[in-house]
Amino acid sequence: MSFSVRTSLTHKPLVGGFAVLLVGMLALGTWLSGAIEKRMIRHEGELYALYVDSVLSDQVQSLASGGLLSDAGMLALDKLLHGTRLGERIVAFKLWSRDGRVLYSTDLTQIGLQSDIRPALAAAFRGETQSREIEDEERRLQGARGLDLIEIYAPVHQAKAGSILTV
């Protein structure tokens, strides 16, 4: 047996082991990266939900009586979401009623429109913050090319009773 044949026979298990190790590392890395990204999106959504609930709850108290958002509430939201650092970070903002009607939106053409209640919206009305990364097509429709966007459904609670007024 020549030296080259013996060398190749001894290297075959090493090459095979290296290939298995490489494929395993790639699979684990891909899975771990996805898990971290999902957790970060959920974490960002929960932080945003707490912030929105604390900042907006005073402006939407008129909804507690089952009515519409008051003019003073709309004006306060406009001041909060236009020309501020918060407003610069938000591409689109909507407040929803339990029946799927848009009570407030940074896009004035959306106010008053009613649509089917999405599962994420229904879950938020049950008190569960929902967040997900927005896909390319939705990002294009929002006019936010090149930006990574997160869609967040955050419940806004009544000040003293704790019930959910809007999402």
Side-chain angles (χ1 to χ4, degrees):
M1 217 179 225
S2 72
F3 179 73
S4 63
V5 173
R6 278 185 276 142
T7 305
S8 67
L9 286 176
T10 58
H11 284 108
K12 284 183 182 179
L14 291 175
V15 171
F18 178 73
V20 169
L21 181 65
L22 183 63
V23 169
M25 286 175 53
L26 287 172
L28 182 63
T30 302
W31 174 79
L32 191 57
S33 174
I36 289 171
E37 183 177 352
K38 285 179 184 177
R39 183 157 176 84
M40 290 299 296
I41 289 171
R42 187 173 59 242
H43 179 69
E44 284 290 320
E46 289 169 357
L47 282 176
Y48 176 78
L50 288 171
Y51 181 75
V52 165
D53 194 23
S54 65
V55 170
L56 295 185
S57 63
D58 290 340
Q59 281 79 15
V60 298
Q61 291 306 306
S62 63
L63 297 174
S65 61
L68 297 175
L69 195 59
S70 68
D71 290 339
M74 285 191 149
L75 185 59
L77 289 173
D78 284 340
K79 285 182 180 178
L80 184 67
L81 296 170
H82 297 287
T84 63
R85 294 190 78 171
L86 176 64
E88 291 171 4
R89 294 187 53 105
I90 296 175
V91 174
F93 184 90
K94 293 180 185 177
L95 287 178
W96 300 83
S97 67
R98 287 190 182 275
D99 63 357
R101 189 168 24 114
V102 178
L103 302 172
Y104 175 85
S105 176
T106 50
D107 177 1
L108 299 177
T109 63
Q110 298 288 311
I111 297 175
L113 295 180
Q114 190 159 356
S115 62
D116 294 333
I117 298 177
R118 298 178 182 176
L121 182 62
F125 271 111
R126 291 190 305 268
E128 304 167 24
T129 300
Q130 300 289 307
S131 54
R132 69 176 182 94
E133 187 173 12
I134 293 181
E135 303 299 324
D136 291 336
E137 182 63 22
E138 292 172 290
R139 222 182 348 237
R140 186 187 62 73
L141 292 174
Q142 292 292 340
R145 291 190 177 120
L147 296 175
D148 289 334
L149 298 179
I150 299 174
E151 180 178 59
I152 302 168
Y153 290 86
V156 180
H157 297 85
Q158 187 175 359
K160 294 184 177 144
S163 60
I164 297 171
L165 294 174
T166 185
V167 170

